[in-house]
Amino acid sequence: MPKSSPRPIPPALPCRTDVLISGAGPTGLTLAASLRRLGVDHVLLDRHDGVRPGSRAAAVQPRAMEYLDRIGVGAGLAAEGRKGRGFCLHDGERPLLRASYDGLDTPHPYILLASQQTTEQHVARRLEELGGTVHREHRLLGFTPDFPGVTATVAGPDGVLRAVTARYLVGCDGLRSTVRTAAGIAFPGEAPEQLFALADVRLKPGAEVAAHDDTTFFLSEAGLLLLSPLAGGLHRLVAPVPAGSAAPRAEDVEELLARRGPAGGWARAEEVVAASVYRAQERVAERFRAGPVFLAGDAAHTHSPAGGQGMNTGIQDAGNLAWKLHAVLTGAAPGELLDSYHAERRPVAARLIAFTGQFARAATLSDPASGRLRNALLAAAAAPGVTDRLARTLAQLDIGYSREPDLGAPRPGTRVAPLDVPPDGLRWTLALPGPDASQHGHRGKRHGPLTVRHVPDLKTTLLVRPDGCLAAAGVPADPCDVAARLSQYLPLPRPQ
């Protein structure tokens, strides 16, 4: 019998780094891969011995896919998931409203239905390709200020305590964040009493589910049931259940499908692959930054899973913070730039919690008369303008940081569609009007930190940030001039 190859010996934990990241879920992995691509020295810790199994967050939205493209993950991940066409709200087989992703202005006009395990594996693999690593079975116990950064105490798999000094510390360590607690950052919000059952199921053969490629919310008088296709022939089921309920078994899933799901009996459970119950919380950290300490992902915000928004928001937290850390650490920007992380991302999280909370409460109405009224209002609202706007919101394409009113002109802080201005990894992009007569048209020409692209039909020059948001419009067409004055286009705090 051939001998199995020995596991590679992990690198020793460094005692110093520029950025220490606690938590290697989707947010921490995305941040680490981004920093590695930017050339920023960092250390990524995780208390687990590997990527955790299970689907958990099972929907990757177009906005997150656009950022994952920038770090070289999007294409491989898209090939492994299932592409859902949008969200539907039904009462039995009666459609109430459908938010289609088909017409969205994105390279990814779909919800990628893939397990969180799959997403993490792809980002972790990309991190390794870039030369990075995850220090597995390492737990951050706490930290002390060590101007201008911190010194963290880390317990390794051997139980030995080690000290790691870092200029910046980022807590991507989830709902019960050690970093957030140690930093003394409050985490106000609510923990609704409603309990949810979650199950990944294999439906019985012969079920006519091919036409049901949407993530569908069934809103019946018996209660809410969410049914979403997953890769590998599975379906995700989520339903509110009474307090004290255990993880659903096959017979429980059958009853939920029969009482709340689609009419006609096409959805019948053959096997429950994984099941659990959980209580969603709705909280947002008071601060996303406290000196050299930052929070991202579930450590900064947690909410109802309605609409598949949480993991995607954490990925965008990482994308917003990574280029700013790089700019400050390389001296290209003043330290005040890092204040814009809180200023930009916390309002996004607060709005998200309000949106998902309202949606969850409306979807879980227990009074039959109120439920019928809700369904009638949803059916009446199913006009193209409403459903198109809902699709953009769920896809997170409407998220931006502009403080200016929308008067039709390009506004700094708003998203620039990759179809209009293709990105070049995590570089700044200077988009110039007109066709490109040079040999660099497809990939753009690089000038220092900028990639220059010529875009037909563009009315004015655009400067696009590494995270895909507009930095400025109407900037000079000379890339050397723009590069020399790059700091004036940064989202620095306004003087009081």
Side-chain angles (χ1 to χ4, degrees):
M1 186 173 183
K3 293 182 179 180
S4 59
S5 57
R7 293 181 62 181
I9 299 175
L13 186 69
C15 61
R16 284 187 179 278
T17 188
D18 285 332
V19 182
L20 177 61
I21 306 167
S22 178
T27 303
L29 285 165
T30 300
L31 179 59
S34 302
L35 293 177
R36 185 70 191 182
R37 183 152 193 180
L38 289 165
V40 174
D41 180 67
H42 68 274
V43 170
L44 175 59
L45 310 174
D46 194 79
R47 61 190 179 93
H48 300 288
D49 61 0
V51 171
R52 294 167 61 197
S55 57
R56 291 169 287 148
V60 189
Q61 299 288 356
R63 187 66 173 272
M65 289 295 294
E66 290 179 359
Y67 187 77
L68 293 175
D69 279 341
R70 289 177 173 267
I71 60 172
V73 172
L77 180 59
E80 196 164 335
R82 178 168 176 171
K83 296 176 182 178
R85 296 182 59 195
F87 283 81
C88 275
L89 282 78
H90 277 226
D91 181 356
E93 284 296 291
R94 179 170 73 97
L96 301 172
L97 180 150
R98 180 169 186 264
S100 172
Y101 282 27
D102 291 350
L104 295 177
D105 61 335
T106 173
H108 303 281
Y110 51 80
I111 312 167
L112 187 72
L113 301 165
S115 71
Q116 182 173 325
Q117 178 182 1
T118 299
T119 300
E120 289 185 17
Q121 286 171 338
H122 277 264
V123 185
R125 191 178 306 128
R126 179 59 176 152
L127 176 61
E128 292 177 4
E129 291 171 357
L130 293 167
T133 190
V134 183
H135 292 272
R136 299 285 183 187
E137 298 180 274
H138 283 74
R139 184 190 299 267
L140 186 142
L141 302 180
F143 66 87
T144 56
D146 191 355
F147 184 82
V150 301
T151 293
T153 301
V154 178
D158 54 4
V160 176
L161 301 185
R162 295 173 173 84
V164 180
T165 300
R167 178 64 186 88
Y168 297 107
L169 169 63
V170 187
C172 304
D173 48 349
L175 178 65
R176 297 173 180 82
S177 169
T178 299
V179 173
R180 186 187 64 240
T181 302
I185 299 175
F187 200 39
E190 299 178 352
E193 291 300 315
Q194 181 62 66
L195 193 67
F196 288 86
L198 182 151
D200 291 344
V201 304
R202 196 176 305 281
L203 298 180
K204 290 185 177 179
E208 297 297 327
V209 297
H212 296 266
D213 284 334
D214 295 313
T215 294
T216 304
F217 292 85
F218 292 96
L219 307 173
S220 71
E221 292 188 12
L224 165 71
L225 182 138
L226 179 147
L227 195 62
S228 176
L230 298 176
L234 297 178
H235 278 71
R236 161 69 55 86
L237 178 147
V238 181
V241 292
S245 297
R249 299 164 299 177
E251 53 266 36
D252 302 318
V253 170
E254 282 280 293
E255 182 179 359
L256 287 169
L257 287 168
R259 295 187 63 231
R260 306 185 191 183
W266 61 260
R268 301 283 303 280
E270 178 181 61
E271 177 189 7
V272 176
V273 176
S276 62
V277 291
Y278 67 94
R279 180 173 285 112
Q281 299 193 39
E282 299 173 3
R283 302 182 185 277
V284 60
E286 284 191 345
R287 292 173 290 158
F288 282 19
R289 180 189 185 188
V293 179
F294 298 85
L295 302 177
D298 287 351
H301 44 76
T302 184
H303 47 83
S304 164
Q309 304 290 296
M311 177 181 70
N312 298 273
T313 305
I315 288 171
Q316 291 177 64
D317 289 342
N320 185 285
L321 183 58
W323 72 267
K324 295 174 180 178
L325 287 169
H326 170 255
V328 172
L329 286 166
T330 57
E336 289 80 6
L337 173 63
L338 294 173
D339 291 332
S340 69
Y341 172 68
H342 167 90
E344 292 185 340
R345 293 305 298 170
R346 191 183 187 280
V348 170
R351 288 194 299 269
L352 175 65
I353 288 169
F355 171 75
T356 58
Q358 290 170 358
F359 184 90
R361 283 185 282 277
T364 56
L365 290 172
S366 57
D367 175 57
S370 298
R372 287 193 294 271
L373 176 60
R374 171 203 60 205
N375 289 1
L377 291 172
L378 287 170
V386 174
T387 55
D388 292 347
R389 188 161 59 250
L390 178 59
R392 289 190 65 81
T393 297
L394 292 168
Q396 301 193 340
L397 299 183
D398 64 343
I399 291 174
Y401 314 122
S402 178
R403 301 175 182 177
E404 302 174 7
D406 186 359
L407 302 177
R411 294 177 297 152
T414 55
R415 165 183 171 266
V416 177
L419 293 175
D420 295 334
V421 181
D424 183 10
L426 295 179
R427 293 175 58 82
W428 291 78
T429 302
L430 177 63
L432 304 178
D436 192 342
S438 75
Q439 60 182 345
H440 303 284
H442 178 67
R443 58 184 176 86
K445 187 174 182 179
R446 294 184 171 184
H447 289 267
L450 303 177
T451 292
V452 181
R453 293 191 183 279
H454 288 76
V455 180
D457 302 323
L458 192 65
K459 293 181 172 58
T460 185
T461 55
L462 302 178
L463 180 62
V464 184
R465 299 175 0 176
D467 60 356
C469 293
L470 182 66
V475 299
D478 180 358
C480 295
D481 189 3
V482 174
R485 294 192 289 170
L486 198 58
S487 61
Q488 79 178 60
Y489 306 117
L490 298 172
L492 297 174
R494 292 178 177 177
Q496 299 295 321

